[in-house]
Amino acid sequence: MSTPLLELRELATHFPVRGGVLLRATGTNRAVDGVSLSVQRGETLGLVGESGCGKSTLGKTVVRLLQPTSGSILFEGQDISNLSRRRLKPLRRELQMVFQDPAESLNSRHTVGNLIEEPLIIHGVGTAAERAARVRELLDLVGLPASAAEKFPFEFSGGQRQRISIARAIALGPKLLVCDEPVSALDVSIQSQILNLFLDLQAELGLAYLFIAHDLAVVRHVSDSIAVMYLGRIMEYADTDDLMDRPRHPYTQALITAIPVPDPTRRSTRTILSGDVPSPIDPPSGCPFHTRCPHAEARCRNERPLLREAARKGSTPHLVACHFDF
Amino acid sequence: MPQRTLLEVRGLVTAFDTEGGRVRAVDRVDFSLERGRTLGIVGESGCGKSVTALSIMRLLPQPMGQIVAGTIRFEGTDLVSADQPTLHRIRGGRIGMIFQEPMTALNPVHRIGRQIAESLILHKGIERRAALERAVGMLERVGIPAPELRLSEYPHQLSGGMRQRVMIAIALACDPALLIADEPTTALDVTVQAQILELIAKLRSETGMGVMLITHDLGVIAEQCDDVVVMYAGRVAEQAPVKDLFARPLHPYTRGLLDSIPHLETPRKSRLPTIAGMVPTLKDLPDGCRFNNRCPHADDRCRREQPLLSRAGDGHLVACHHWQRIAGEVRT
Ligand SMILES: Nc1ncnc2c1ncn2[C@@H]1O[C@H](COP(=O)(O)OP(=O)(O)OP(=O)(O)O)[C@@H](O)[C@H]1O
Ligand SMILES: Nc1ncnc2c1ncn2[C@@H]1O[C@H](COP(=O)(O)OP(=O)(O)O)[C@@H](O)[C@H]1O
Ligand code: SF4
Ligand code: SF4
Ligand SMILES: [Mg+2]
Ligand SMILES: [Mg+2]
């Protein structure tokens, strides 16, 4: 098999927890704690999990907005986990990120045209005229009129602002886009427009996505495979259809049944999980899910299950971090 | 025998005075809610869901927000013309409220126990000790473990789900006849949302109260509600019993909403149906039907004349000139 576009090996990103008047480090937040995953060219890996599970931290680490504590990030086979800022710069062309709240990621003192052109200038791409043409092309690609270039971000709706941040993120022709909850802040009628845009761009430009969201129905729709994260670790990974049809981890099973189904004739039967996600600062011993797992046994409290291959579909293994088979 | 209708909103118009002039955030809204039932209000951001709820509770931001027309009948009282003492008695007493972000509704400097007890002291006139005892019972009822210990905690010490449970405990402390819940689970994870929605449904069937549940999530509507009001740009587009709405949506906007959400059965990576364009702002609402700039069925009449709600079936109301023709069309 060819080298994956992105490969994470035992990746960890920890944050020091400071307390007391002197703000001394009093503990460690193991936000991402040993994640191994890969993304193939032109494909989408979905990442789901409850809030605080480390999804955004993982996304930011992949694009090196955060420095990993340990493990490695291989991009096209090259380890980028320790590259200096200067050596990272050329990689920014290949690796971009789109955030949940487009209002925050767009500097509103600049026109939309300037915002989209900025990455081109930073990377010394083209002449002024060529860049202006590229801006028009990008606006067209994300479904905005050329006249948008002269306006300011605040003159646009949430959905349009998300189109602007996508145009900016794809300006340099990246191979991988890390999307962190890119449609969560949008209304349903706008959400479907933006999801279609992501699908179109992938078909046209061969983009790969690491697509982070908490809405499993949305993630299922766009992803080729899905990883389920809990307390900084991967609980399950599989081909999308495989994961949805035959979830094997009790956490995934609970997540799937918790989605309210928009069909009143099908009131679902669900396992309602008790409690909330425990703190990643003091995670449970053994299996991180044991405090909420309906199947937990003594072994689960003592021994951490490894991510093991439970099945396989084509070249995609179905990985599960649970001692048992459900 | 008490009347079946608990809340009846008729011709409600709520306006805000803004720098650009007066805008009608809610414009001639009608709906009613029966005892023991859950009415869902659904619609996109800015369509007037929260303003409707704030109008019912008479908690509109002052002095910008005003109810300029209509009546809101609740247990025999018109809340629009009610005086302040009456409103104080009803709010938190006969009507309980929960919001999306419990942190903004809870007092950060008061202990949980005190906040629940205060409502009981105010509305039920019972003394402090007894009120605190009742507070323990309420916390237990909403599924908070070790309630005696929680009494002395502050809101920030609780998780989002726990805070929402505390809000529910406060809202229900005085046995209200109506619970208004404005996006009570939007800020929560799906697993915690499932807990909270189950709790609200359980308490509703125990107490027989009516629930007005505001959400933008059609899944939540399908699972929790008996009846649904779909709002668009400050007006009711459609109202129907929940099964009817999903089986036979008549308004083009309702159809568009239902079609645009990805289901677990939607073919993966297929293009989703969309509603063209976006919601107009209150300042540039189109003439005639407010949906006409996004509607695939719009014609001259739609651009001229505002459609009124008309009866399309048992309890099924729709505000569209062409619903009869559209009803015959097969959805793709
Ligand atoms: N204090 C205010 N001053 C002026 N306009 C307001 C005010 N509060 C609300 N509005 C306007 O009233 C309309 C309805 O707002 P409302 O908060 O009811 O929407 P909503 O349906 O609850 O939306 P969301 O789903 O975002 O909560 C919007 O156009 C909003 O901008
Ligand atoms: N910059 C940071 N400094 C310290 N802690 C952080 C930082 N960013 C995230 N965290 C913590 O890391 C954990 C995972 O957070 P995050 O990756 O944002 O989760 P998610 O995106 O899954 O909701 C949380 O406990 C969060 O509080
Ligand atoms: S290892 Fe044990 S606690 Fe963890 S998911 Fe499996 S059964 Fe549940
Ligand atoms: S009245 Fe006309 S524009 Fe409005 S929803 Fe009906 S068909 Fe569409
Ligand atoms: Mg996040
Ligand atoms: Mg609202």
Side-chain angles (χ1 to χ4, degrees):
Chain A
M1 220 178 86
S2 61
T3 340
L5 180 63
L6 175 77
E7 189 180 352
L8 310 179
R9 290 191 188 151
E10 286 299 313
L11 188 69
T13 307
H14 296 172
F15 298 107
V17 179
R18 298 179 191 284
V21 271
L22 298 174
L23 292 181
R24 264 200 286 260
T26 54
T28 304
N29 183 335
R30 311 169 87 84
V32 173
D33 204 21
V35 167
S36 301
L37 283 174
S38 54
V39 182
Q40 307 299 331
R41 277 162 219 282
E43 293 201 348
T44 304
L45 170 65
L47 184 63
V48 296
E50 289 167 280
S51 63
C53 281
K55 306 183 296 298
S56 300
T57 304
L58 181 67
K60 286 184 196 156
T61 310
V62 165
V63 300
R64 288 289 319 274
L65 287 173
L66 287 171
Q67 172 67 37
T69 310
S70 61
S72 46
I73 307 165
L74 304 179
F75 188 77
E76 301 195 295
Q78 181 197 2
D79 189 347
I80 63 164
S81 48
N82 286 304
L83 290 189
S84 65
R85 203 176 256 275
R86 193 176 54 81
R87 305 250 334 264
L88 266 175
K89 192 178 161 190
L91 269 158
R92 295 262 172 256
R93 299 181 70 149
E94 317 272 334
L95 200 56
Q96 286 284 331
M97 188 152 178
V98 174
F99 297 91
Q100 169 170 0
D101 190 352
E104 269 173 45
S105 56
L106 296 175
N107 184 334
S108 56
R109 285 180 325 224
H110 294 155
T111 63
V112 168
N114 287 339
L115 283 165
I116 299 175
E117 190 187 2
E118 187 179 84
L120 301 169
I121 297 174
I122 292 174
H123 288 270
V125 178
T127 62
E130 283 163 352
R131 286 195 303 266
R134 175 79 178 139
V135 168
R136 280 194 299 278
E137 186 189 357
L138 286 162
L139 284 170
D140 186 50
L141 209 50
V142 300
L144 290 172
S147 59
E150 316 305 322
K151 297 188 180 162
F152 292 90
F154 60 81
E155 297 178 71
F156 293 89
S157 69
Q160 290 172 319
R161 282 201 291 261
Q162 196 56 290
R163 289 178 193 270
I164 298 166
S165 22
I166 294 169
R168 187 175 144 93
I170 62 174
L172 294 162
K175 295 185 177 123
L176 176 70
L177 214 52
V178 174
C179 310
D180 190 2
E181 306 268 6
V183 297
S184 307
L186 306 175
D187 275 316
V188 278
S189 78
I190 308 303
Q191 181 175 300
S192 55
Q193 295 174 1
I194 301 295
L195 290 176
N196 284 344
L197 174 61
F198 279 121
L199 292 171
D200 292 346
L201 292 175
Q202 182 161 60
E204 277 170 49
L205 310 173
L207 273 176
Y209 298 121
L210 173 59
F211 195 95
I212 303 174
H214 63 271
D215 184 336
L216 205 44
V218 164
V219 172
R220 173 202 161 270
H221 188 71
V222 298
S223 304
D224 297 285
S225 57
I226 296 180
V228 180
M229 198 167 177
Y230 191 74
L231 284 177
R233 295 173 182 276
I234 301 303
M235 296 291 112
E236 184 161 7
Y237 165 83
D239 164 83
T240 299
D241 293 328
D242 234 21
L243 187 101
M244 300 304 294
D245 296 343
R246 176 80 175 81
R248 290 167 183 267
H249 195 283
Y251 180 57
T252 314
Q253 293 169 355
L255 269 188
I256 292 176
T257 59
I259 307 173
V261 184
D263 179 357
T265 58
R266 261 203 358 214
R267 303 237 160 165
S268 53
T269 44
R270 63 172 49 126
T271 13
I272 292 194
L273 288 182
S274 57
D276 308 290
V277 185
S279 162
I281 298 166
D282 186 19
S285 62
C287 173
F289 188 54
H290 87 249
T291 54
R292 301 169 81 199
C293 180
H295 309 288
E297 291 180 18
R299 181 180 175 196
C300 307
R301 284 183 281 279
N302 304 319
E303 194 185 325
R304 185 160 66 220
L306 299 173
L307 196 60
R308 63 184 166 89
E309 184 171 324
R312 176 171 277 274
K313 181 174 172 188
S315 61
T316 315
H318 192 141
L319 307 175
V320 191
C322 173
H323 292 309
F324 310 106
D325 288 308
F326 293 105
Chain B
M1 207 187 94
Q3 254 194 308
R4 284 191 52 77
T5 303
L6 177 64
L7 176 75
E8 185 168 29
V9 176
R10 285 285 159 257
L12 179 69
V13 180
T14 303
F16 288 101
D17 289 319
T18 67
E19 280 169 23
R22 178 168 268 208
V23 293
R24 291 176 160 209
V26 168
D27 197 10
R28 285 177 287 160
V29 158
D30 300 321
F31 63 85
S32 55
L33 165 59
E34 290 182 8
R35 281 174 207 280
R37 290 176 78 89
T38 299
L39 173 73
I41 310 249
V42 67
E44 292 175 277
S45 187
C47 72
K49 305 181 295 293
S50 298
V51 171
T52 302
L54 292 173
S55 304
I56 295 170
M57 299 180 295
R58 294 285 311 275
L59 287 175
L60 290 166
Q62 295 300 313
M64 309 84 78
Q66 299 292 337
I67 296 178
V68 291
T71 56
I72 301 171
R73 292 205 78 78
F74 171 73
E75 294 194 311
T77 307
D78 177 20
L79 299 179
V80 174
S81 52
D83 57 14
Q84 284 302 325
T86 309
L87 292 171
H88 275 291
R89 189 167 46 74
I90 290 176
R91 232 185 271 139
R94 300 301 295 159
I95 302 183
M97 308 159 267
I98 46 181
F99 304 97
Q100 175 171 342
E101 201 5 274
M103 244 356 226
T104 58
L106 290 168
N107 189 328
V109 299
H110 289 170
R111 297 175 199 274
I112 304 295
R114 170 166 170 191
Q115 299 196 45
I116 304 175
E118 246 165 26
S119 156
L120 285 161
I121 295 167
L122 180 72
H123 293 285
K124 295 273 169 183
I126 56 180
E127 46 105 26
R128 219 182 101 80
R129 276 192 64 91
L132 279 172
E133 269 166 34
R134 286 268 285 273
V136 174
M138 279 314 298
L139 289 177
E140 203 157 29
R141 244 176 107 195
V142 299
I144 293 190
E148 295 85 359
L149 302 179
R150 296 289 178 180
L151 279 189
S152 54
E153 290 191 339
Y154 293 93
H156 71 87
Q157 291 173 284
L158 304 176
S159 68
M162 284 294 167
R163 270 183 223 137
Q164 204 52 288
R165 285 174 193 267
V166 168
M167 271 308 299
I168 296 173
I170 295 174
L172 297 191
C174 301
D175 279 321
L178 171 64
L179 175 69
I180 297 181
D182 189 353
E183 309 257 7
T185 58
T186 305
L188 306 174
D189 280 311
V190 279
T191 55
V192 181
Q193 163 169 283
Q195 299 166 11
I196 298 295
L197 292 177
E198 193 201 42
L199 174 66
I200 293 176
K202 181 189 94 164
L203 294 169
R204 183 197 70 168
S205 67
E206 280 172 16
T207 61
M209 66 185 175
V211 177
M212 179 171 147
L213 180 64
I214 296 176
T215 175
H216 62 273
D217 186 334
L218 288 156
V220 170
I221 291 280
E223 290 196 353
Q224 298 293 319
C225 301
D226 302 301
D227 304 288
V228 193
V229 166
V230 180
M231 287 186 72
Y232 185 78
R235 307 211 68 197
V236 174
E238 187 163 7
Q239 171 164 13
V242 71
K243 289 203 171 111
D244 211 19
L245 187 92
F246 282 80
R248 204 170 68 103
L250 295 175
H251 198 284
Y253 176 62
T254 314
R255 290 185 164 213
L257 273 188
L258 289 174
D259 291 341
S260 61
I261 39 175
H263 293 249
L264 294 179
E265 298 80 26
T266 315
R268 277 203 294 124
K269 295 204 167 186
S270 61
R271 284 185 65 88
L272 297 164
T274 56
I275 302 178
M278 48 184 184
V279 182
T281 64
L282 293 177
K283 287 196 190 70
D284 54 28
L285 291 173
D287 289 332
C289 174
R290 293 184 175 178
F291 190 55
N292 72 33
N293 60 337
R294 303 176 78 190
C295 181
H297 305 280
D299 63 8
D300 282 345
R301 182 175 174 208
C302 305
R303 283 181 278 272
R304 225 176 31 236
E305 205 183 305
Q306 234 184 71
L308 301 174
L309 275 179
S310 58
R311 251 181 86 89
D314 198 12
H316 199 148
L317 301 171
V318 57
C320 168
H321 294 307
H322 304 304
W323 71 266
Q324 273 149 319
R325 195 184 77 213
I326 293 163
E329 281 175 20
V330 187
R331 282 165 72 209
T332 42

